Amino acid sequence: MSDHPHCVENIEESCSCCCSGKHKERDEKEYKDLMNRLKRIEGQVRGVEGMLENDAYCTDVLIQVSAITSALNSFNKALLANHMRTCVADNIREGNDEVIDELVTTLQKLMK
């Protein structure tokens, strides 16, 4: 069991221990877009697994992994843009400027 009380061992039921514990209800369009992106990325990862199982040449695998990295970066960009338009903007309008520090910390983690 995790040392963090808000964490669940099964990652599909909860997020990892770095989660804030906050939640966000997404509109249907955003949800579908993000899920479609993740499903494509999942398919790409499975494709790389297949490549390894079939002894694919190293550079071919590297190119596919690079495509996955690019897809994950695009996912993050879409999610970050929506976060700034909704969560961050709403919090600032409500006088909660702490969200700015949270955003800065998040951006620093993303830029490692």
Side-chain angles (χ1 to χ4, degrees):
M1 188 66 152
S2 172
D3 292 337
H4 302 278
H6 65 278
C7 291
V8 175
E9 294 300 315
N10 184 344
I11 196 161
E12 289 181 284
E13 292 177 13
S14 182
C15 55
S16 66
C17 293
C18 63
C19 280
S20 67
K22 297 177 182 178
H23 298 279
K24 168 168 178 166
E25 290 186 29
R26 291 177 174 80
D27 65 42
E28 188 174 344
K29 182 183 181 313
E30 179 192 9
Y31 176 81
K32 284 184 177 181
D33 176 57
L34 292 173
M35 289 300 289
N36 286 338
R37 288 172 183 264
L38 285 177
K39 295 294 182 186
R40 281 193 300 273
I41 292 166
E42 180 182 22
Q44 289 175 297
V45 171
R46 289 183 194 277
V48 170
E49 288 175 353
M51 291 175 77
L52 290 177
E53 289 168 352
N54 293 315
D55 300 322
Y57 190 60
C58 300
T59 57
D60 295 336
V61 175
L62 288 166
I63 297 296
Q64 290 306 310
V65 171
S66 178
I68 294 168
T69 301
S70 178
L72 283 168
N73 285 336
S74 291
F75 176 89
N76 268 354
K77 287 177 193 175
L79 186 58
L80 180 60
N82 186 272
H83 175 63
M84 291 175 71
R85 287 184 190 106
T86 58
C87 302
V88 174
D90 292 345
N91 272 276
I92 290 171
R93 285 185 201 108
E94 293 169 5
N96 180 9
D97 290 342
E98 292 173 10
V99 72
I100 296 169
D101 293 332
E102 178 187 76
L103 178 60
V104 169
T105 299
T106 299
L107 290 172
Q108 288 170 340
K109 289 177 182 179
L110 289 174
M111 292 182 189
K112 280 186 177 180

